[in-house]
Structures are given as C-alpha cells and as structure tokens.
Amino acid sequence: MDAKESTNNTCDHFILFPSDAEHPSLSLRDLKSISSCPTTPTIDMVQAISRTNRVWSRREIEGLIADGRKIIIFGDQVLKVDTWIPYHPGGDKSILHMVGRDGTDEITALHSEEAQAYMQKLVSKDDDEIDDASSSGQSTPPSLVFDTEHTGDEVRRRRVGNDTPISRASSSEPESEQFQSVEASTAHAISSDLSKYPRLDPMSQDEVISKYRQLDEKLRSEGLYQCPYSSYAVEFIRYSTLFVLFLTCLHYSYYTLSSLFLGLFWHLLSFLVHDAGHLSITHGFHTDTCIGIFVADFIGGLSVGWWKRNHNVHHIATNSPEHDPDIQHMPFFAISPRFFGSLRSTYYDRVMPFDAAARWFIKHQHYLYYPILLMGRFNLYRLAWSYLLDPKQSPRKGSAWWHRYLEMTGQVFFWYWYGYRTLYLSIPTWSSRIAFLFISHMVTAPLHVQLTLSHFAMSSADGGVHESFAQKMVRTTMDVDCPPWLDFIHGGLNYQVVHHLFPRLPRHNLRRAQKYVKEFCEDVGIPYVIFTFTRGNQEVISRLGEVAEQLRVMEECRKVAAKDLVEGHHSH
C-alpha cells in the first residue's frame, strides 16, 4: 500500500475509527485532521467523515465486518479500506487477508515509512485506545473473508503440532489425519510442534511482539535499513561480465556456453528484482518498481507486478495451504496431506483438484522435485501473461495504473531481443535453438530450489489468529547456512528468516542482521531453524517423501476398506 497511490482520491479512502470496548456508548466526535486530506474537502465530504468518525466497540466492528466492510487495525487505529482496495499496487488479496485483524506488524514490515506516514495523515488522531485484544498487538476478530473463528480447544490441539487447517469452513478433513504418524523430517518436526514455541495467550504473544519491535528499532539504529550501494557496484560488475560473455559466445557460435552465461545472468538478476519489489534499493515506490520492471520484464520476460501481488500474500500467509500461492503447486507438489482434500485456493479463487494426475505426481514428487523445477521459468512466463492480460489483477486506479502498460512494453521488447534477435536470427538451426532455449532456462533452476527450500520443509500448521507475525514468520521459514563469499549465489534468499521478519531490509545487510535475529529468537524462546544448503535440500526431499508415503498408506487403507466392504456384502 504505497503512500502515493491515492493522492488523487478523497480522504475517506481511509477513515479512522478509534475503538474502545470499555466505552461503547461514547458519542460521535468531530474530525480533527480534515486539513491532512490530500485534496480540499468538500462540504459533503466533511459531513460524511464527521458522521462516521466515532468510537467503536469491538462488537460493533465485528458487525461491520459481518456486513462486508473491510476493517483493519493499524496501531491504535482502525482503518476502513473498502474503497482503497482498487488503488493498492500490491493487489487486493494482501489487504483481504488483514480484514478484521491487527495488521500493525505486517503493514510496518511491508510498507515504506512514507506509506505509513501517509496512512496517518488520512486518519484522525485520538487518545482513546482499542480494546484489550487490539491494543496488545493481537488480532481482533478473524477475517470473515478468509478465516473462521477458532475455539480454545482448536488452539490447544494446534500446540501439540497437528497440521491443522486455517479455514475449517473450506475443507473436510480427509483420512490423511490418520496417517500423520509417519516420521517427519527434522525441520518440519521442529516447526510443527507448537508446544516448542511461546504460548498463544495474549501475555506470551505480547512479549514476542514487544521484543520484535525493539529488534526493528535496533536494526534501524544500526543503519541496516540503509542500502549499501557499493555492494550493487560489485553486483553490476557480475551482471556485465556475464552479459558480455553471453554475447561473445553467441557471436562466435559457442551456443551452449552462451546459453549457460545467459541463464546465470538471469539467475543473478532475479535477486535484483526481489530487492526492487521490496523497495529495498532506493526505498522509493516508483523508482524501485521501474528498476524491477526494467530487469524483470525487459531483460527477463517476467512480471514484477505479478510477483508483487503473489509475494505480498506469501509474506502475510506464509505456508498456509489455502492461502499461500508459493506452496500451491498442485498437481505437482503437496507439502501437506491437507492438499488431499481438494482445497480451495483463496489466492487463485479456484479449487486445487486432487485428481488422478495429482495422485500420480505426488506419489513420486520427491523424485520429480528437481526435474520439475528445471522447467520452473516457463511457468513464470505463463503466470506473467495471465496477470498482465487480466485487468482485475493489476492496479487499475491510482498513480500505479501505468505500470501494467510499461510491463507489457517490456514483454514485447523481451521477446524481440530474446525470441527474435537471439533465438531466431543468431542461431542457425532449430535443434540449436531448442537446446539454447532449454539450457538458458534450466540453468536458472537453482533459483526455484532456493525459493522452495526455506519453506517446503517447514510447518504448514495454523497457529491461530492470536499468533504474532514474528512468531509465524520464524516458525514457517528456515535459513540456509553458507560462507560469506557464496552469498551472491543465494541472493539473500538464504536468510529467509531474517528477510521474512524484515522484508524491506537490503539483502546485503541480512548477514549482519542475522546475529540480532538469533538473539531475539533465543530471548523469546522461538526455535531458529538453519541448515546447510545440502542438509536443507535433504529436509525438503524428506518432507516430500513423507507426504508421498502418507498418500500411499491412505490409498492402501481405502483398498482394504473397499475389499472388506465387498466381502462383507458377499458374506450376507
């Protein structure tokens, strides 16, 4: 939600409702900050805001949410974001995940200071605080868009490590729960056992939240949010070297070497796109977005707009089978037996069918993991064009409306220089063209391994609406240990725990921040999972094999049950 995205809109895109359950009968209050509106308010507008600017009790807010209003807690304020959703450059899904919940830490982590300051200008200030559940940093009622209310018994069951669903309403529990006695991999066993984590009561989570925010201030005071541009000078030398090698080998008809260097070039540039998408380079929305578009679309043929929409949800609903698109790879992969129930994806707005194809792939997924990831870049092309050709997915209003058209221009340019000038004109035979195409794309597979490595082996259990942002991020993510000189190959994605806690932290500062995050985890009692790259891959393969085995056992039990049923009928 960028600060500049609604400068052409009226002030009631964000209306503040300070809430205090202790005083539900307080009267309407006058708007204190009309002058903070980016446009001159009209009489009708002032009256509309004045009528709605009042103190709300928690029960009244629950009623608004039940009526379909989009209410989000931010600090000690309550935002009504119904009319803002079409203007949000990060897509509507990330906003909908926060409806009815305390999004303070998520908003702070994912948005620039400029954006946060703009949100404050759009709300009136009030000394009253929200009710106890909100002021403590905990969620108010769970989102009626995605979540259903959970009872205390359900929360207690989660603490013993069951892979419980986030949305009870969206799935019927399959027989797979009977087969979760299969020995889990180390990472998954640690992160799924919620009894190893701080309790989910408000007092315990308040402590986690408080110390997480103290850690954020510590990183700021250490200057770790400042981008070390000298590091990008070194990165630029790497990019330039690989690009020159690609062109030189292409000119002298060393097509295999040329495709290899091009793939490595794309691989390293992907991390630059990731930096730009999180606004961690210049910290300016349009500047970093244009950097991302130039690199992703013009040079790589991918879509940074799609990536932002997808990645924002991933950072909010990490490892949630129903909600996180980064683990929704049906029919090819399933990291939880919950996918056996044909879950409905709230991101894609469709059911992920557990059909015959899915059964076959998942039974062999631990063998197919690397071969399928070799083709991962081709899938990114499909996702890019599905995003750009669907105007409902990209921002249609606000100052980011033109990003979609710039991306389309970039796509045309990419296929001109790569598809036409390189593949068609520079390579003489179709066999050489096809080889060049596949080699250049398959070389980028380590990126896809890296993207899945830090999450596939981790917990997909639901910690409930009271689990803090910080605890959820550490529980669903692991770091990859490597020597400092190899950091550029991983592009900062080896520090996924640090990155998920502080997404806007420049990647060249993540190693320095890691020691502070480890201290934080030790202080609050949250297990910090870190493995070498080799061990991490073993954990992922182990997890995929475990789920595949659960599927085999489930099908065997069904066959036995069917046989017993038939024989039982015959005996009568």
Side-chain angles (χ1 to χ4, degrees):
M1 192 182 300
D2 189 78
K4 299 181 180 178
E5 288 310 301
S6 65
T7 54
N8 61 334
N9 306 323
T10 57
C11 194
D12 60 349
H13 286 147
F14 283 99
I15 299 178
L16 179 69
F17 303 97
S19 173
D20 190 343
E22 300 298 324
H23 307 285
S25 61
L26 291 177
S27 60
L28 296 173
R29 302 188 176 199
D30 294 331
L31 185 64
K32 295 182 179 179
S33 57
I34 280 291
S35 60
S36 67
C37 216
T39 57
T40 304
T42 63
I43 295 298
D44 291 340
M45 177 180 153
V46 173
Q47 290 175 343
I49 297 177
S50 297
R51 284 196 299 270
T52 57
N53 189 51
R54 52 163 292 182
V55 175
W56 293 85
S57 69
R58 173 168 177 157
R59 179 166 297 181
E60 288 173 316
I61 293 176
E62 288 175 340
L64 287 173
I65 297 171
D67 290 337
R69 306 299 289 273
K70 308 300 186 292
I71 306 296
I72 298 175
I73 305 267
F74 179 43
D76 60 351
Q77 313 290 349
V78 180
L79 305 175
K80 180 178 75 69
V81 298
D82 302 66
T83 54
W84 165 251
I85 290 178
Y87 296 86
H88 186 222
D92 59 336
K93 300 293 185 180
S94 54
I95 293 182
L96 294 176
H97 273 286
M98 289 290 98
V99 170
R101 309 180 70 168
D102 186 343
T104 303
D105 288 331
E106 287 86 344
I107 291 174
T108 302
L110 292 168
H111 294 79
S112 66
E113 293 181 1
E114 181 185 16
Q116 296 175 49
Y118 186 75
M119 293 178 205
Q120 291 302 314
K121 291 179 181 178
L122 290 176
V123 298
S124 62
K125 308 299 180 183
D126 197 288
D127 294 333
D128 293 307
E129 295 189 1
I130 307 171
D131 60 11
D132 293 339
S134 302
S135 62
S136 66
Q138 297 307 302
S139 300
T140 52
S143 169
L144 298 182
V145 178
F146 291 115
D147 296 323
T148 55
E149 188 104 23
H150 297 285
T151 65
D153 289 339
E154 287 171 336
V155 172
R156 282 193 292 273
R157 283 199 296 272
R158 290 191 197 100
R159 289 196 188 125
V160 300
N162 285 339
D163 215 19
T164 53
I166 288 184
S167 177
R168 293 273 178 193
S170 64
S171 67
S172 58
E173 290 303 314
E175 294 94 330
S176 59
E177 285 192 353
Q178 302 171 19
F179 312 111
Q180 293 189 7
S181 60
V182 179
E183 184 176 359
S185 60
T186 305
H188 189 263
I190 294 173
S191 60
S192 291
D193 188 355
L194 298 186
S195 65
K196 297 180 181 294
Y197 290 77
R199 293 174 60 85
L200 299 178
D201 60 274
M203 182 176 297
S204 300
Q205 291 302 301
D206 278 353
E207 181 181 5
V208 174
I209 292 169
S210 175
K211 292 185 176 180
Y212 166 67
R213 294 174 182 174
Q214 290 174 23
L215 174 59
D216 183 54
E217 291 299 322
K218 174 68 173 177
L219 298 183
R220 292 179 188 278
S221 66
E222 293 288 330
L224 296 185
Y225 274 92
Q226 301 301 314
C227 181
Y229 292 108
S230 60
S231 298
Y232 279 107
V234 176
E235 298 289 350
F236 185 76
I237 293 174
R238 294 190 182 105
Y239 306 150
S240 302
T241 301
L242 289 171
F243 188 69
V244 169
L245 288 172
F246 148 65
L247 291 177
T248 302
C249 291
L250 183 66
H251 177 74
Y252 289 104
S253 301
Y254 296 113
Y255 301 127
T256 300
L257 281 176
S258 178
S259 61
L260 177 66
F261 289 128
L262 178 59
L264 291 174
F265 176 63
W266 281 339
H267 173 75
L268 294 187
L269 283 180
S270 299
F271 305 129
L272 180 61
V273 175
H274 185 260
D275 298 342
H278 280 293
L279 310 184
S280 63
I281 302 176
T282 70
H283 307 299
F285 173 71
H286 288 297
T287 304
D288 277 1
T289 299
C290 286
I291 292 174
I293 291 174
F294 174 74
V295 175
D297 293 86
F298 284 77
I299 300 180
L302 309 181
S303 169
V304 75
W306 163 81
W307 178 87
K308 281 189 176 184
R309 187 174 191 264
N310 177 286
H311 204 63
N312 287 341
V313 175
H314 166 66
H315 270 270
I316 291 172
T318 309
N319 264 27
S320 166
E322 289 100 335
H323 309 312
D324 183 1
D326 274 17
I327 64 169
Q328 294 175 349
H329 301 296
M330 296 289 283
F332 302 109
F333 300 124
I335 66 169
S336 167
R338 298 210 48 238
F339 287 100
F340 301 169
S342 294
L343 295 179
R344 180 174 182 81
S345 167
T346 60
Y347 180 82
Y348 294 108
D349 292 323
R350 61 174 173 81
V351 171
M352 298 176 284
F354 187 66
D355 51 19
R359 286 185 172 87
W360 187 88
F361 277 109
I362 292 171
K363 275 192 278 190
H364 303 89
Q365 62 180 353
H366 46 310
Y367 301 114
L368 297 173
Y369 176 66
Y370 296 112
I372 289 175
L373 293 188
L374 286 172
M375 301 293 109
R377 192 172 185 89
F378 293 103
N379 186 50
L380 295 183
Y381 292 145
R382 178 188 67 83
L383 293 169
W385 278 105
S386 66
Y387 169 82
L388 293 173
L389 294 178
D390 184 359
K392 295 181 180 179
Q393 294 191 45
S394 54
R396 305 180 300 282
K397 301 179 180 180
S399 61
W401 66 270
W402 53 274
H403 290 175
R404 174 172 174 248
Y405 300 99
L406 181 60
E407 287 202 79
M408 287 182 170
T409 303
Q411 292 291 323
V412 173
F413 179 81
F414 169 78
W415 288 108
Y416 170 75
W417 80 259
Y418 177 71
Y420 180 67
R421 300 286 303 181
T422 302
L423 283 180
Y424 185 72
L425 292 184
S426 300
I427 303 176
T429 65
W430 277 106
S431 60
S432 298
R433 290 168 185 159
I434 293 173
F436 189 98
L437 173 71
F438 277 95
I439 292 174
S440 62
H441 285 64
M442 292 165 69
V443 168
T444 65
L447 170 66
H448 304 287
V449 173
Q450 184 72 66
L451 292 172
T452 58
L453 182 62
S454 294
H455 298 293
F456 269 26
M458 301 303 289
S459 173
S460 57
D462 174 28
V465 296
H466 296 294
E467 184 177 32
S468 64
F469 170 75
Q471 180 167 315
K472 178 170 66 175
M473 292 303 101
V474 180
R475 181 173 58 81
T476 56
T477 310
M478 76 174 180
D479 273 0
V480 176
D481 192 22
C482 75
W485 64 272
L486 266 181
D487 279 351
F488 81 96
I489 292 292
H490 294 281
L493 298 183
N494 50 319
Y495 303 108
Q496 282 285 294
V497 174
V498 186
H499 171 65
H500 268 257
L501 289 172
F502 307 100
R504 291 182 298 105
L505 208 65
R507 66 168 148 126
H508 297 100
N509 292 336
L510 293 177
R511 180 174 284 273
R512 291 173 56 195
Q514 187 185 51
K515 65 177 182 178
Y516 297 112
V517 172
K518 287 181 177 179
E519 292 171 358
F520 158 76
C521 289
E522 183 177 357
D523 187 24
V524 298
I526 298 179
Y528 186 99
V529 180
I530 180 170
F531 293 119
T532 63
F533 184 76
T534 301
R535 176 63 187 277
N537 275 266
Q538 292 172 347
E539 291 292 328
V540 170
I541 297 300
S542 175
R543 178 61 182 154
L544 294 175
E546 174 197 336
V547 176
E549 180 62 23
Q550 289 173 336
L551 175 58
R552 291 190 189 93
V553 173
M554 184 181 75
E555 291 190 341
E556 286 297 322
C557 288
R558 283 177 172 171
K559 290 178 182 178
V560 171
K563 181 179 179 181
D564 290 344
L565 181 62
V566 171
E567 291 178 351
H569 282 304
H570 283 308
S571 64
H572 290 292

PDB file of all heavy atoms in Angstrom, residues 436-448:
ATOM      1  N   PHE A 436      19.436 -24.179 -26.968  1.00  0.00           N
ATOM      2  CA  PHE A 436      19.726 -22.893 -26.341  1.00  0.00           C
ATOM      3  C   PHE A 436      18.588 -22.474 -25.415  1.00  0.00           C
ATOM      4  O   PHE A 436      18.811 -22.017 -24.285  1.00  0.00           O
ATOM      5  CB  PHE A 436      19.934 -21.829 -27.424  1.00  0.00           C
ATOM      6  CG  PHE A 436      20.443 -20.512 -26.915  1.00  0.00           C
ATOM      7  CD1 PHE A 436      21.797 -20.189 -26.986  1.00  0.00           C
ATOM      8  CD2 PHE A 436      19.583 -19.570 -26.355  1.00  0.00           C
ATOM      9  CE1 PHE A 436      22.274 -18.972 -26.514  1.00  0.00           C
ATOM     10  CE2 PHE A 436      20.037 -18.360 -25.887  1.00  0.00           C
ATOM     11  CZ  PHE A 436      21.391 -18.056 -25.963  1.00  0.00           C
ATOM     12  N   LEU A 437      17.364 -22.634 -25.888  1.00  0.00           N
ATOM     13  CA  LEU A 437      16.181 -22.270 -25.099  1.00  0.00           C
ATOM     14  C   LEU A 437      16.149 -23.027 -23.776  1.00  0.00           C
ATOM     15  O   LEU A 437      15.999 -22.423 -22.703  1.00  0.00           O
ATOM     16  CB  LEU A 437      14.916 -22.565 -25.912  1.00  0.00           C
ATOM     17  CG  LEU A 437      13.580 -22.401 -25.179  1.00  0.00           C
ATOM     18  CD1 LEU A 437      13.291 -20.933 -24.916  1.00  0.00           C
ATOM     19  CD2 LEU A 437      12.441 -23.024 -25.990  1.00  0.00           C
ATOM     20  N   PHE A 438      16.312 -24.334 -23.838  1.00  0.00           N
ATOM     21  CA  PHE A 438      16.187 -25.141 -22.629  1.00  0.00           C
ATOM     22  C   PHE A 438      17.375 -24.961 -21.691  1.00  0.00           C
ATOM     23  O   PHE A 438      17.190 -24.875 -20.470  1.00  0.00           O
ATOM     24  CB  PHE A 438      15.998 -26.613 -22.991  1.00  0.00           C
ATOM     25  CG  PHE A 438      14.579 -26.966 -23.323  1.00  0.00           C
ATOM     26  CD1 PHE A 438      14.151 -26.984 -24.636  1.00  0.00           C
ATOM     27  CD2 PHE A 438      13.671 -27.253 -22.323  1.00  0.00           C
ATOM     28  CE1 PHE A 438      12.827 -27.297 -24.956  1.00  0.00           C
ATOM     29  CE2 PHE A 438      12.351 -27.565 -22.625  1.00  0.00           C
ATOM     30  CZ  PHE A 438      11.925 -27.580 -23.943  1.00  0.00           C
ATOM     31  N   ILE A 439      18.571 -24.887 -22.235  1.00  0.00           N
ATOM     32  CA  ILE A 439      19.732 -24.715 -21.353  1.00  0.00           C
ATOM     33  C   ILE A 439      19.668 -23.386 -20.623  1.00  0.00           C
ATOM     34  O   ILE A 439      19.884 -23.312 -19.403  1.00  0.00           O
ATOM     35  CB  ILE A 439      21.044 -24.827 -22.159  1.00  0.00           C
ATOM     36  CG1 ILE A 439      21.235 -26.250 -22.662  1.00  0.00           C
ATOM     37  CG2 ILE A 439      22.240 -24.427 -21.289  1.00  0.00           C
ATOM     38  CD1 ILE A 439      22.425 -26.418 -23.598  1.00  0.00           C
ATOM     39  N   SER A 440      19.368 -22.304 -21.345  1.00  0.00           N
ATOM     40  CA  SER A 440      19.314 -20.979 -20.715  1.00  0.00           C
ATOM     41  C   SER A 440      18.262 -20.920 -19.620  1.00  0.00           C
ATOM     42  O   SER A 440      18.427 -20.206 -18.626  1.00  0.00           O
ATOM     43  CB  SER A 440      19.052 -19.902 -21.766  1.00  0.00           C
ATOM     44  OG  SER A 440      17.801 -20.097 -22.406  1.00  0.00           O
ATOM     45  N   HIS A 441      17.177 -21.679 -19.778  1.00  0.00           N
ATOM     46  CA  HIS A 441      16.113 -21.674 -18.775  1.00  0.00           C
ATOM     47  C   HIS A 441      16.399 -22.642 -17.631  1.00  0.00           C
ATOM     48  O   HIS A 441      16.108 -22.354 -16.469  1.00  0.00           O
ATOM     49  CB  HIS A 441      14.777 -22.008 -19.421  1.00  0.00           C
ATOM     50  CG  HIS A 441      14.199 -20.881 -20.212  1.00  0.00           C
ATOM     51  ND1 HIS A 441      14.801 -20.370 -21.341  1.00  0.00           N
ATOM     52  CD2 HIS A 441      13.071 -20.129 -20.022  1.00  0.00           C
ATOM     53  CE1 HIS A 441      14.076 -19.370 -21.820  1.00  0.00           C
ATOM     54  NE2 HIS A 441      13.024 -19.211 -21.044  1.00  0.00           N
ATOM     55  N   MET A 442      16.984 -23.782 -17.938  1.00  0.00           N
ATOM     56  CA  MET A 442      17.249 -24.785 -16.906  1.00  0.00           C
ATOM     57  C   MET A 442      18.369 -24.352 -15.965  1.00  0.00           C
ATOM     58  O   MET A 442      18.400 -24.762 -14.805  1.00  0.00           O
ATOM     59  CB  MET A 442      17.572 -26.128 -17.551  1.00  0.00           C
ATOM     60  CG  MET A 442      16.376 -26.758 -18.258  1.00  0.00           C
ATOM     61  SD  MET A 442      16.794 -28.117 -19.379  1.00  0.00           S
ATOM     62  CE  MET A 442      17.321 -29.352 -18.219  1.00  0.00           C
ATOM     63  N   VAL A 443      19.270 -23.509 -16.452  1.00  0.00           N
ATOM     64  CA  VAL A 443      20.353 -23.007 -15.602  1.00  0.00           C
ATOM     65  C   VAL A 443      19.804 -22.190 -14.438  1.00  0.00           C
ATOM     66  O   VAL A 443      20.435 -22.086 -13.382  1.00  0.00           O
ATOM     67  CB  VAL A 443      21.343 -22.173 -16.447  1.00  0.00           C
ATOM     68  CG1 VAL A 443      22.305 -21.391 -15.567  1.00  0.00           C
ATOM     69  CG2 VAL A 443      22.133 -23.079 -17.378  1.00  0.00           C
ATOM     70  N   THR A 444      18.603 -21.623 -14.594  1.00  0.00           N
ATOM     71  CA  THR A 444      18.008 -20.807 -13.522  1.00  0.00           C
ATOM     72  C   THR A 444      17.315 -21.654 -12.460  1.00  0.00           C
ATOM     73  O   THR A 444      16.759 -21.106 -11.505  1.00  0.00           O
ATOM     74  CB  THR A 444      16.985 -19.814 -14.101  1.00  0.00           C
ATOM     75  OG1 THR A 444      15.880 -20.528 -14.670  1.00  0.00           O
ATOM     76  CG2 THR A 444      17.612 -18.953 -15.190  1.00  0.00           C
ATOM     77  N   ALA A 445      17.335 -22.983 -12.603  1.00  0.00           N
ATOM     78  CA  ALA A 445      16.645 -23.860 -11.644  1.00  0.00           C
ATOM     79  C   ALA A 445      17.087 -23.667 -10.197  1.00  0.00           C
ATOM     80  O   ALA A 445      16.252 -23.780  -9.285  1.00  0.00           O
ATOM     81  CB  ALA A 445      16.818 -25.327 -12.052  1.00  0.00           C
ATOM     82  N   PRO A 446      18.377 -23.394  -9.912  1.00  0.00           N
ATOM     83  CA  PRO A 446      18.750 -23.164  -8.503  1.00  0.00           C
ATOM     84  C   PRO A 446      17.944 -22.067  -7.836  1.00  0.00           C
ATOM     85  O   PRO A 446      17.727 -22.112  -6.624  1.00  0.00           O
ATOM     86  CB  PRO A 446      20.232 -22.789  -8.597  1.00  0.00           C
ATOM     87  CG  PRO A 446      20.718 -23.512  -9.812  1.00  0.00           C
ATOM     88  CD  PRO A 446      19.569 -23.447 -10.783  1.00  0.00           C
ATOM     89  N   LEU A 447      17.487 -21.090  -8.618  1.00  0.00           N
ATOM     90  CA  LEU A 447      16.634 -20.044  -8.040  1.00  0.00           C
ATOM     91  C   LEU A 447      15.340 -20.656  -7.509  1.00  0.00           C
ATOM     92  O   LEU A 447      14.886 -20.324  -6.408  1.00  0.00           O
ATOM     93  CB  LEU A 447      16.323 -18.985  -9.092  1.00  0.00           C
ATOM     94  CG  LEU A 447      15.243 -17.957  -8.695  1.00  0.00           C
ATOM     95  CD1 LEU A 447      15.725 -17.084  -7.541  1.00  0.00           C
ATOM     96  CD2 LEU A 447      14.866 -17.088  -9.890  1.00  0.00           C
ATOM     97  N   HIS A 448      14.739 -21.549  -8.276  1.00  0.00           N
ATOM     98  CA  HIS A 448      13.474 -22.166  -7.861  1.00  0.00           C
ATOM     99  C   HIS A 448      13.691 -23.115  -6.683  1.00  0.00           C
ATOM    100  O   HIS A 448      12.818 -23.239  -5.818  1.00  0.00           O
ATOM    101  CB  HIS A 448      12.851 -22.891  -9.055  1.00  0.00           C
ATOM    102  CG  HIS A 448      12.643 -22.010 -10.240  1.00  0.00           C
ATOM    103  ND1 HIS A 448      11.648 -21.054 -10.295  1.00  0.00           N
ATOM    104  CD2 HIS A 448      13.330 -21.903 -11.409  1.00  0.00           C
ATOM    105  CE1 HIS A 448      11.717 -20.414 -11.443  1.00  0.00           C
ATOM    106  NE2 HIS A 448      12.727 -20.903 -12.138  1.00  0.00           N
TER     107      HIS A 448
END
